[in-house]
Amino acid sequence: MKPSKAAMRFLGLVLLMALAACQSGAAAQVPEVEPTPDAVPGEKTYQDLVVGYSQLGAESEWRTGNTDSIKEAAEELGVELLFSDAQQKQENQIKAIRTFIAQQVDVIGVSPIVETGWESVFQEAKDAGIPIILVDRAADVPENLYTTHMGSDFVEEGRNAARVMADLLDGQGIIVELMGTLDSAPANDRYIGFREVIEDYPGIHIIATESGDFTRAKGKEVMEGFLRLYGSQIDGLYAHNDDMAIGAIQAIEEYGLKPGEDIKIVSIDAIRDAFQAMIDGKLNATIECNPLLGPKFFEVALQVVNGETVPKWIPSEEGVYFPEDAAELLPTRRY
Ligand code: AHR
Protein backbone atom coordinates (compact mmCIF):
# COMPACT_ATOMS: atom_id res chain seq x y z
CA MET A 1 0.00 0.00 0.00
CA LYS A 2 1.30 3.47 -0.98
CA PRO A 3 1.88 5.65 2.13
CA SER A 4 -0.26 8.81 2.15
CA LYS A 5 1.40 12.17 1.47
CA ALA A 6 0.45 13.38 4.95
CA ALA A 7 2.14 10.33 6.46
CA MET A 8 5.31 10.98 4.42
CA ARG A 9 5.37 14.63 5.41
CA PHE A 10 4.92 13.69 9.08
CA LEU A 11 7.70 11.12 8.88
CA GLY A 12 10.02 13.67 7.26
CA LEU A 13 9.23 16.20 9.96
CA VAL A 14 9.88 13.68 12.75
CA LEU A 15 13.23 12.70 11.20
CA LEU A 16 14.30 16.34 10.91
CA MET A 17 13.34 17.07 14.50
CA ALA A 18 15.17 13.96 15.72
CA LEU A 19 18.27 15.03 13.80
CA ALA A 20 18.13 18.53 15.27
CA ALA A 21 17.70 17.12 18.78
CA CYS A 22 20.84 15.00 18.34
CA GLN A 23 22.97 18.02 17.46
CA SER A 24 24.72 19.77 20.42
CA GLY A 25 22.72 20.73 23.49
CA ALA A 26 20.97 23.65 21.78
CA ALA A 27 17.17 23.75 21.61
CA ALA A 28 15.84 22.14 18.42
CA GLN A 29 14.27 24.55 15.96
CA VAL A 30 11.34 23.14 14.00
CA PRO A 31 11.87 24.12 10.36
CA GLU A 32 9.50 26.78 9.08
CA VAL A 33 8.96 25.08 5.76
CA GLU A 34 7.87 21.46 5.82
CA PRO A 35 10.40 19.04 4.33
CA THR A 36 9.86 18.04 0.74
CA PRO A 37 8.03 14.72 0.60
CA ASP A 38 9.72 11.87 -1.26
CA ALA A 39 8.61 11.81 -4.86
CA VAL A 40 5.50 9.76 -5.55
CA PRO A 41 5.61 8.34 -9.08
CA GLY A 42 3.57 10.51 -11.44
CA GLU A 43 3.26 13.38 -8.97
CA LYS A 44 5.14 16.67 -9.09
CA THR A 45 7.44 17.75 -6.26
CA TYR A 46 8.38 21.30 -5.24
CA GLN A 47 11.46 21.10 -7.47
CA ASP A 48 9.24 20.51 -10.52
CA LEU A 49 7.02 23.51 -9.82
CA VAL A 50 7.18 26.72 -11.85
CA VAL A 51 5.07 29.40 -10.19
CA GLY A 52 4.23 32.90 -11.42
CA TYR A 53 3.49 35.39 -8.64
CA SER A 54 1.96 38.81 -9.17
CA GLN A 55 2.57 40.97 -6.10
CA LEU A 56 0.68 44.26 -6.02
CA GLY A 57 3.52 46.48 -4.77
CA ALA A 58 5.52 47.46 -1.70
CA GLU A 59 3.26 49.99 0.01
CA SER A 60 3.71 48.84 3.61
CA GLU A 61 5.91 46.91 6.04
CA TRP A 62 3.25 44.21 5.89
CA ARG A 63 3.70 43.91 2.13
CA THR A 64 7.49 43.68 2.45
CA GLY A 65 7.05 40.89 4.99
CA ASN A 66 4.66 39.13 2.63
CA THR A 67 7.03 39.38 -0.35
CA ASP A 68 9.96 38.12 1.75
CA SER A 69 7.87 35.19 2.93
CA ILE A 70 6.98 34.17 -0.65
CA LYS A 71 10.55 34.53 -1.95
CA GLU A 72 12.19 32.79 1.02
CA ALA A 73 9.78 29.85 0.91
CA ALA A 74 10.36 29.38 -2.84
CA GLU A 75 14.11 29.40 -2.27
CA GLU A 76 13.96 26.93 0.65
CA LEU A 77 11.66 24.52 -1.18
CA GLY A 78 13.44 24.71 -4.52
CA VAL A 79 10.40 26.06 -6.39
CA GLU A 80 11.13 28.10 -9.52
CA LEU A 81 9.45 31.44 -8.80
CA LEU A 82 8.74 34.08 -11.45
CA PHE A 83 7.99 37.15 -9.34
CA SER A 84 6.51 40.40 -10.59
CA ASP A 85 5.97 43.62 -8.58
CA ALA A 86 3.10 45.64 -10.08
CA GLN A 87 4.01 48.87 -8.28
CA GLN A 88 0.40 49.56 -7.29
CA LYS A 89 -0.98 49.31 -10.81
CA GLN A 90 -3.69 46.82 -11.76
CA GLU A 91 -2.67 46.98 -15.43
CA ASN A 92 0.82 45.77 -14.45
CA GLN A 93 -0.72 42.82 -12.60
CA ILE A 94 -2.84 41.94 -15.62
CA LYS A 95 0.23 42.14 -17.91
CA ALA A 96 2.22 39.93 -15.52
CA ILE A 97 -0.55 37.31 -15.43
CA ARG A 98 -0.66 37.28 -19.26
CA THR A 99 3.12 36.81 -19.35
CA PHE A 100 2.86 33.89 -16.90
CA ILE A 101 0.19 32.32 -19.10
CA ALA A 102 2.47 32.65 -22.16
CA GLN A 103 5.29 31.08 -20.14
CA GLN A 104 2.98 28.13 -19.29
CA VAL A 105 3.71 28.19 -15.56
CA ASP A 106 2.11 25.50 -13.39
CA VAL A 107 0.28 27.88 -11.04
CA ILE A 108 -0.31 31.62 -10.79
CA GLY A 109 -0.46 33.34 -7.39
CA VAL A 110 -1.90 36.82 -7.27
CA SER A 111 -2.61 39.39 -4.59
CA PRO A 112 -5.11 41.64 -6.39
CA ILE A 113 -4.66 45.35 -5.70
CA VAL A 114 -8.39 46.01 -6.12
CA GLU A 115 -11.39 43.69 -6.08
CA THR A 116 -12.87 44.39 -9.51
CA GLY A 117 -11.67 44.02 -13.11
CA TRP A 118 -10.16 40.50 -13.07
CA GLU A 119 -12.68 38.39 -14.93
CA SER A 120 -11.15 38.41 -18.43
CA VAL A 121 -7.58 37.69 -17.40
CA PHE A 122 -8.60 34.98 -14.91
CA GLN A 123 -10.73 33.44 -17.68
CA GLU A 124 -7.64 33.45 -19.94
CA ALA A 125 -5.68 31.57 -17.26
CA LYS A 126 -8.54 29.10 -16.86
CA ASP A 127 -8.71 28.54 -20.64
CA ALA A 128 -4.97 27.83 -20.60
CA GLY A 129 -5.51 25.28 -17.78
CA ILE A 130 -3.48 27.28 -15.25
CA PRO A 131 -4.93 27.46 -11.72
CA ILE A 132 -5.15 30.87 -10.05
CA ILE A 133 -4.54 31.07 -6.30
CA LEU A 134 -5.61 34.32 -4.65
CA VAL A 135 -3.17 35.19 -1.89
CA ASP A 136 -4.01 37.74 0.82
CA ARG A 137 -6.62 39.82 -1.07
CA ALA A 138 -9.83 38.55 -2.66
CA ALA A 139 -11.16 39.36 -6.13
CA ASP A 140 -14.79 39.92 -7.03
CA VAL A 141 -15.10 37.17 -9.69
CA PRO A 142 -17.20 34.02 -10.06
CA GLU A 143 -15.82 31.22 -7.89
CA ASN A 144 -15.02 29.00 -10.87
CA LEU A 145 -12.34 31.48 -12.02
CA TYR A 146 -9.96 30.77 -9.16
CA THR A 147 -8.97 27.62 -7.30
CA THR A 148 -8.66 28.92 -3.79
CA HIS A 149 -8.20 32.08 -1.74
CA MET A 150 -5.80 32.05 1.18
CA GLY A 151 -5.61 34.95 3.59
CA SER A 152 -7.25 36.87 6.40
CA ASP A 153 -10.84 37.52 7.39
CA PHE A 154 -10.70 41.27 6.84
CA VAL A 155 -14.30 41.81 8.01
CA GLU A 156 -13.48 40.19 11.34
CA GLU A 157 -10.37 42.37 11.63
CA GLY A 158 -12.63 45.42 11.26
CA ARG A 159 -15.02 44.04 13.89
CA ASN A 160 -12.13 43.41 16.29
CA ALA A 161 -10.82 46.95 15.78
CA ALA A 162 -14.29 48.32 16.59
CA ARG A 163 -14.67 46.19 19.72
CA VAL A 164 -11.34 47.47 21.03
CA MET A 165 -12.11 51.10 20.07
CA ALA A 166 -15.56 51.02 21.72
CA ASP A 167 -13.93 49.73 24.87
CA LEU A 168 -11.17 52.37 24.83
CA LEU A 169 -13.75 55.16 24.38
CA ASP A 170 -16.18 53.70 26.89
CA GLY A 171 -18.88 53.77 24.22
CA GLN A 172 -18.67 57.53 23.68
CA GLY A 173 -16.70 59.65 21.25
CA ILE A 174 -15.79 60.96 17.83
CA ILE A 175 -13.75 58.81 15.45
CA VAL A 176 -11.88 59.49 12.23
CA GLU A 177 -10.95 56.66 9.88
CA LEU A 178 -7.95 56.15 7.60
CA MET A 179 -9.04 53.71 4.91
CA GLY A 180 -6.78 51.51 2.83
CA THR A 181 -6.60 51.57 -0.97
CA LEU A 182 -10.04 52.28 -2.42
CA ASP A 183 -11.79 49.22 -3.93
CA SER A 184 -9.28 46.86 -2.30
CA ALA A 185 -10.68 43.89 -0.40
CA PRO A 186 -9.10 44.85 2.96
CA ALA A 187 -10.35 48.44 2.74
CA ASN A 188 -13.89 47.37 1.76
CA ASP A 189 -14.11 44.64 4.40
CA ARG A 190 -12.46 46.54 7.25
CA TYR A 191 -14.85 49.43 6.60
CA ILE A 192 -17.86 47.09 6.78
CA GLY A 193 -16.72 45.05 9.79
CA PHE A 194 -15.95 48.16 11.86
CA ARG A 195 -19.40 49.61 11.23
CA GLU A 196 -21.16 46.34 12.00
CA VAL A 197 -19.96 46.61 15.60
CA ILE A 198 -19.98 50.42 16.03
CA GLU A 199 -23.68 50.48 15.09
CA ASP A 200 -24.36 49.07 18.55
CA TYR A 201 -22.79 52.15 20.17
CA PRO A 202 -25.04 55.18 19.58
CA GLY A 203 -22.59 57.40 21.48
CA ILE A 204 -19.80 56.79 18.95
CA HIS A 205 -19.74 58.77 15.70
CA ILE A 206 -17.44 58.26 12.71
CA ILE A 207 -17.17 61.81 11.40
CA ALA A 208 -14.62 61.41 8.60
CA THR A 209 -13.29 58.61 6.40
CA GLU A 210 -10.58 59.03 3.79
CA SER A 211 -8.10 56.78 2.03
CA GLY A 212 -4.45 56.91 3.07
CA ASP A 213 -3.63 54.21 0.49
CA PHE A 214 -2.00 51.98 3.14
CA THR A 215 1.14 54.17 3.21
CA ARG A 216 2.80 56.11 6.06
CA ALA A 217 3.19 59.28 4.00
CA LYS A 218 -0.45 59.39 2.93
CA GLY A 219 -1.63 58.42 6.43
CA LYS A 220 0.22 61.44 7.81
CA GLU A 221 -1.11 63.76 5.12
CA VAL A 222 -4.75 62.70 5.58
CA MET A 223 -4.48 62.90 9.37
CA GLU A 224 -3.13 66.44 9.06
CA GLY A 225 -6.30 67.29 7.13
CA PHE A 226 -8.52 65.67 9.79
CA LEU A 227 -6.73 67.66 12.49
CA ARG A 228 -7.12 70.93 10.59
CA LEU A 229 -10.88 70.30 10.35
CA TYR A 230 -11.67 68.73 13.71
CA GLY A 231 -8.57 69.24 15.94
CA SER A 232 -9.07 68.22 19.56
CA GLN A 233 -12.67 67.13 18.93
CA ILE A 234 -11.22 63.81 17.72
CA ASP A 235 -11.29 61.08 20.38
CA GLY A 236 -10.28 58.08 18.29
CA LEU A 237 -8.46 57.10 15.09
CA TYR A 238 -9.17 53.83 13.31
CA ALA A 239 -6.48 53.10 10.69
CA HIS A 240 -6.85 50.20 8.26
CA ASN A 241 -3.14 49.47 8.68
CA ASP A 242 -0.30 50.18 11.08
CA ASP A 243 1.74 52.13 8.55
CA MET A 244 -0.99 54.76 8.15
CA ALA A 245 -1.38 54.88 11.94
CA ILE A 246 2.35 55.50 12.34
CA GLY A 247 2.18 58.35 9.80
CA ALA A 248 -0.85 59.74 11.66
CA ILE A 249 0.97 59.50 15.00
CA GLN A 250 3.58 61.89 13.61
CA ALA A 251 0.85 64.29 12.44
CA ILE A 252 -0.85 64.20 15.87
CA GLU A 253 2.43 64.95 17.66
CA GLU A 254 3.22 67.81 15.30
CA TYR A 255 -0.26 69.21 15.96
CA GLY A 256 0.52 69.22 19.68
CA LEU A 257 -1.69 66.36 20.89
CA LYS A 258 -0.64 63.06 22.48
CA PRO A 259 -1.29 59.97 20.31
CA GLY A 260 -2.56 57.08 22.41
CA GLU A 261 -3.82 59.46 25.11
CA ASP A 262 -5.64 62.48 23.64
CA ILE A 263 -6.53 60.40 20.59
CA LYS A 264 -6.91 56.64 21.06
CA ILE A 265 -5.54 54.71 18.09
CA VAL A 266 -6.36 51.22 16.85
CA SER A 267 -4.88 49.84 13.63
CA ILE A 268 -4.39 46.57 11.78
CA ASP A 269 -1.41 44.33 10.80
CA ALA A 270 0.73 43.91 13.96
CA ILE A 271 4.03 44.91 12.34
CA ARG A 272 7.12 45.36 14.51
CA ASP A 273 6.86 49.17 14.42
CA ALA A 274 3.34 48.92 15.84
CA PHE A 275 4.71 46.99 18.81
CA GLN A 276 7.32 49.73 19.29
CA ALA A 277 4.59 52.40 19.09
CA MET A 278 2.63 50.51 21.78
CA ILE A 279 5.75 50.31 23.97
CA ASP A 280 6.12 54.10 23.52
CA GLY A 281 2.47 54.59 24.58
CA LYS A 282 1.42 56.03 21.20
CA LEU A 283 -0.76 53.18 19.88
CA ASN A 284 -3.52 51.48 21.90
CA ALA A 285 -3.91 48.19 20.00
CA THR A 286 -3.03 46.41 16.79
CA ILE A 287 -5.13 43.70 15.16
CA GLU A 288 -3.04 41.01 13.50
CA CYS A 289 -3.11 40.37 9.75
CA ASN A 290 -0.58 37.65 9.01
CA PRO A 291 1.60 38.18 5.90
CA LEU A 292 3.74 35.04 6.35
CA LEU A 293 1.86 33.11 3.70
CA GLY A 294 4.78 31.77 1.61
CA PRO A 295 5.16 28.19 2.95
CA LYS A 296 1.40 27.55 2.90
CA PHE A 297 1.04 29.06 -0.57
CA PHE A 298 3.53 26.64 -2.11
CA GLU A 299 2.12 23.70 -0.17
CA VAL A 300 -1.32 24.47 -1.60
CA ALA A 301 0.11 25.13 -5.09
CA LEU A 302 1.71 21.66 -5.08
CA GLN A 303 -1.51 20.03 -3.91
CA VAL A 304 -3.46 21.77 -6.66
CA VAL A 305 -0.97 20.76 -9.37
CA ASN A 306 -1.16 17.16 -8.16
CA GLY A 307 -4.95 17.19 -8.47
CA GLU A 308 -5.81 17.33 -4.77
CA THR A 309 -8.96 19.17 -3.71
CA VAL A 310 -8.32 22.22 -1.53
CA PRO A 311 -10.84 24.37 0.37
CA LYS A 312 -12.16 27.45 -1.46
CA TRP A 313 -10.95 29.65 1.38
CA ILE A 314 -7.94 28.97 3.59
CA PRO A 315 -8.12 31.50 6.47
CA SER A 316 -5.13 32.70 8.50
CA GLU A 317 -5.00 32.53 12.29
CA GLU A 318 -4.62 35.95 13.88
CA GLY A 319 -4.62 37.71 17.26
CA VAL A 320 -5.18 41.12 18.86
CA TYR A 321 -2.28 42.80 20.67
CA PHE A 322 -2.18 45.42 23.43
CA PRO A 323 0.55 47.64 24.94
CA GLU A 324 0.93 45.56 28.13
CA ASP A 325 2.35 42.60 26.14
CA ALA A 326 4.23 44.58 23.50
CA ALA A 327 7.72 44.61 25.08
CA GLU A 328 7.68 40.86 25.66
CA LEU A 329 6.36 40.08 22.17
CA LEU A 330 8.41 42.48 20.04
CA PRO A 331 11.52 40.23 19.89
CA THR A 332 9.36 37.35 18.62
CA ARG A 333 7.75 39.30 15.78
CA ARG A 334 9.02 38.36 12.32
CA TYR A 335 7.62 41.24 10.26
O1 AHR B 1 -3.96 43.19 2.02
C1 AHR B 1 -3.38 43.33 3.27
C2 AHR B 1 -3.14 44.77 3.55
O2 AHR B 1 -2.35 45.32 2.52
C3 AHR B 1 -2.36 45.08 4.81
O3 AHR B 1 -3.16 45.29 5.91
C4 AHR B 1 -1.70 46.36 4.43
O4 AHR B 1 -0.71 46.79 5.30
C5 AHR B 1 -1.27 46.02 3.07
O5 AHR B 1 -0.79 47.04 2.36
Side-chain angles (χ1 to χ4, degrees):
M1 191 178 67
K2 189 173 88 174
S4 74
K5 294 183 78 183
M8 287 192 304
R9 276 198 209 103
F10 179 70
L11 186 65
L13 190 61
V14 169
L15 283 173
L16 256 153
M17 288 172 75
L19 188 68
C22 291
Q23 288 167 351
S24 73
Q29 289 278 320
V30 178
E32 219 165 82
V33 168
E34 285 189 17
T36 306
D38 294 336
V40 175
E43 289 199 353
K44 289 206 179 197
T45 67
Y46 285 122
Q47 290 79 25
D48 302 316
L49 270 192
V50 181
V51 175
Y53 195 90
S54 169
Q55 179 60 285
L56 63 92
E59 72 285 1
S60 61
E61 292 289 309
W62 188 100
R63 188 65 52 198
T64 312
N66 179 244
T67 292
D68 290 348
S69 172
I70 303 281
K71 288 185 174 172
E72 283 165 17
E75 172 97 33
E76 279 178 52
L77 294 165
V79 172
E80 185 178 343
L81 176 67
L82 310 176
F83 185 89
S84 165
D85 176 346
Q87 303 184 343
Q88 308 296 319
K89 291 200 174 78
Q90 185 179 29
E91 69 256 34
N92 289 346
Q93 290 202 280
I94 292 173
K95 262 189 228 155
I97 294 169
R98 292 208 165 111
T99 306
F100 297 147
I101 295 170
Q103 289 168 315
Q104 297 182 309
V105 299
D106 296 307
V107 174
I108 295 174
V110 54
S111 181
I113 180 149
V114 288
E115 284 204 274
T116 51
W118 300 100
E119 276 202 44
S120 334
V121 73
F122 284 9
Q123 184 64 56
E124 288 167 39
K126 188 178 166 130
D127 294 344
I130 301 174
I132 294 268
I133 298 180
L134 299 176
V135 185
D136 158 38
R137 297 189 182 179
D140 188 7
V141 293
E143 282 206 346
N144 66 353
L145 290 186
Y146 64 92
T147 304
T148 182
H149 168 215
M150 47 185 300
S152 310
D153 183 342
F154 297 135
V155 178
E156 185 59 15
E157 290 171 352
R159 289 190 200 111
N160 279 334
R163 287 177 191 122
V164 174
M165 182 61 89
D167 197 41
L168 285 165
L169 296 182
D170 233 347
Q172 205 74 30
I174 285 183
I175 296 177
V176 293
E177 177 182 25
L178 281 168
M179 274 190 84
T181 304
L182 293 177
D183 191 32
S184 69
N188 290 342
D189 293 354
R190 289 169 185 170
Y191 177 96
I192 292 167
F194 193 78
R195 278 159 183 76
E196 264 180 37
V197 172
I198 290 297
E199 264 170 25
D200 294 337
Y201 295 88
I204 295 184
H205 305 280
I206 306 165
I207 54 162
T209 297
E210 201 176 318
S211 172
D213 225 0
F214 284 128
T215 69
R216 281 186 199 204
K218 200 73 200 300
K220 179 168 189 269
E221 189 188 312
V222 175
M223 190 67 206
E224 284 166 351
F226 288 157
L227 287 162
R228 267 195 302 276
L229 284 173
Y230 309 107
S232 54
Q233 274 179 272
I234 303 170
D235 301 303
L237 164 67
Y238 165 43
H240 287 199
N241 82 347
D242 292 336
D243 281 272
M244 291 189 295
I246 288 163
I249 285 171
Q250 234 185 302
I252 295 167
E253 286 179 322
E254 285 171 16
Y255 187 82
L257 291 173
K258 285 197 175 135
E261 285 182 38
D262 299 323
I263 299 182
K264 306 288 187 210
I265 308 177
V266 178
S267 54
I268 298 175
D269 276 358
I271 61 172
R272 290 176 60 85
D273 284 359
F275 281 77
Q276 189 56 55
M278 291 197 290
I279 292 167
D280 298 340
K282 298 176 182 181
L283 179 71
N284 303 88
T286 182
I287 317 296
E288 189 174 33
C289 177
N290 188 357
L292 306 175
L293 300 170
K296 188 76 188 166
F297 167 63
F298 291 110
E299 185 189 325
V300 170
L302 188 62
Q303 287 170 337
V304 168
V305 164
N306 284 328
E308 289 179 42
T309 307
V310 296
K312 208 67 199 181
W313 181 37
I314 302 170
S316 309
E317 276 182 30
E318 304 177 327
V320 176
Y321 299 102
F322 296 96
E324 47 271 34
D325 306 312
E328 191 190 331
L329 291 175
L330 178 58
T332 69
R333 302 298 299 171
R334 292 188 23 236
Y335 64 95

